[in-house]
């Protein structure tokens, strides 16, 4: 069964409709890449899914429950987490405080999960009492993901986690996402690195072009050139 089913979603910024009738399914233990050129509407779609922008048509169904009318925090309580692009962490708070903010919106209760989280991120455990702003960009991205995980999600939306990071750090982030997939999380990943998306990390791909979903298929069925054609206005 789908962890997240989006059907016919229309999302607007005021009068400007930026996403038209988008549909996608996220399955447990699979990474779905959402690709498309700049301005295609990827971030807008993520915002509509998690309730940060109002939707004017369509439905968001999370683990069988229609959450379209629910505010973001209630969707978070039901297991939907987002890592927004660029808005990595609260820099003035400590690592521990950032993680606790995520933990406050978790489904159910339990300190154990936070301990498990530190086992997964020993670097964050070591730097627990430091200001998040003192971490490197890659470490802040890891903290942003850790904070999302602290909420105990079943579905994770991640907006361009590779942006601004060195390739070696990008590999670490992708390794982490693959580990989470192996644990059964359903992941929607916005990513511009087409080769990485098709040759490894993504199981499924959704292509967004000028606000519309133009292709949905498994990564093995979509050729790099078909995807690249939807991402670059000229040949890369
Ligand atoms: P990028 O890869 O550059 O992040 P994207 O695919 O995520 O692009 P969006 O950021 O969702 O695309 O933008 C989709 C459309 O909505 C664009 O035309 C953009 O100009 C517009 N848009 C985005 N944010 C706003 C906003 N806050 N107010 C008005 N229009 C916006």
């Amino acid at each position: 069964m789908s962890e997240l089913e989006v059907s016919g979603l229309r999302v607007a910024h005021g009068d400007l409709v930026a996403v038209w009738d988008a549909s996608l399914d996220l399955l447990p233990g699979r990474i779905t890449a959402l690709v498309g050129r700049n301005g295609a509407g990827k971030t807008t779609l993520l915002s509509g899914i998690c309730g940060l922008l109002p939707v004017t048509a369509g439905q968001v169904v999370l683990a069988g429950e229609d959450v379209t009318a629910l505010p973001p925090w209630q969707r978070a309580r039901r297991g939907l987490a987002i890592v927004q692009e660029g808005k990595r962490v609260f820099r003035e708070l400590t690592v521990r405080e950032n993680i606790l903010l995520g933990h406050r919106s978790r489904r159910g209760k339990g300190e154990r999960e936070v301990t498990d989280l530190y086992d997964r991120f020993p670097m964050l455990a070591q730097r627990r009492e430091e200001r998040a702003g003192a971490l490197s960009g890659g470490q802040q991205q890891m903290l942003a993901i850790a904070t999302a995980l602290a909420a105990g999600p079943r579905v994770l939306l991640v907006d361009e986690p590779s942006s601004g990071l060195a390739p070696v750090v990008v590999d670490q982030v992708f390794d982490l996402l693959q580990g989470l997939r192996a644990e059964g999380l359903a992941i929607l990943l916005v990513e511009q690195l087409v080769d990485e998306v098709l040759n490894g990390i993504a199981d499924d791909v959704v292509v967004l072009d000028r606000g519309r979903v133009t292709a949905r298929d498994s990564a093995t069925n979509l050729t790099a050139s078909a995807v690249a054609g939807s991402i670059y206005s000229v040949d890369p």
Side-chain angles (χ1 to χ4, degrees):
M1 193 185 90
S2 298
E3 288 288 30
L4 185 85
E5 208 176 331
V6 173
S7 50
L9 209 67
R10 194 173 298 174
V11 194
H13 297 280
D15 290 340
L16 173 85
V17 177
V19 171
W20 295 89
D21 308 332
S23 298
L24 56 87
D25 266 336
L26 300 185
L27 297 171
R30 288 182 82 83
I31 296 178
T32 301
L34 176 62
V35 299
R37 62 181 67 131
N38 288 343
K42 304 178 297 294
T43 299
T44 303
L45 177 54
L46 258 50
S47 302
I49 292 173
C50 65
L52 292 169
L53 277 176
V55 305
T56 52
Q59 267 192 329
V60 180
V61 174
L62 180 63
E65 182 188 1
D66 186 343
V67 298
T68 321
L70 298 183
W73 66 271
Q74 286 189 1
R75 299 185 201 203
R77 276 274 160 83
R78 287 165 172 74
L80 180 63
I82 183 166
V83 179
Q84 291 179 271
E85 187 189 0
K87 297 188 185 158
R88 290 188 173 136
V89 295
F90 290 101
R91 298 170 56 84
E92 298 304 321
L93 300 183
T94 64
V95 166
R96 185 176 57 80
E97 288 163 340
N98 268 279
I99 289 177
L100 282 177
L101 282 178
H103 191 250
R104 279 179 57 187
S105 60
R106 75 173 295 112
R107 297 183 280 145
K109 302 233 183 308
E111 284 300 320
R112 211 192 116 239
E113 290 83 355
V114 175
T115 318
D116 290 352
L117 206 60
Y118 284 123
D119 290 343
R120 183 191 287 282
F121 298 96
M123 173 275 298
L124 296 179
Q126 246 172 35
R127 306 190 64 174
R128 201 180 304 213
E129 299 303 334
E130 286 182 44
R131 258 184 359 99
L135 303 180
S136 70
Q139 290 169 335
Q140 288 185 30
Q141 185 61 278
M142 290 296 191
L143 175 57
I145 297 173
T147 301
L149 293 177
R154 58 173 80 230
V155 176
L156 182 66
L157 314 178
V158 196
D159 198 351
E160 291 203 44
S162 64
S163 117
L165 301 184
V168 60
V169 185
V170 173
D171 287 346
Q172 290 168 11
V173 172
F174 284 176
D175 283 350
L176 171 64
L177 295 179
Q178 282 170 308
L180 296 172
R181 158 174 63 190
E183 290 169 27
L185 215 63
I187 300 174
L188 181 62
L189 169 69
V190 172
E191 193 44 76
Q192 297 278 6
L193 302 172
V194 177
D195 287 344
E196 280 77 352
V197 161
L198 292 176
N199 301 325
I201 187 158
D203 301 295
D204 303 301
V205 180
V206 174
V207 179
L208 201 60
D209 190 7
R210 280 162 287 182
R212 294 179 193 273
V213 172
T214 54
R216 284 165 72 182
D217 210 334
S218 67
T220 43
N221 283 349
L222 278 176
T223 62
S225 60
V227 174
S230 306
I231 292 183
Y232 303 106
S233 348
V234 290
D235 283 342

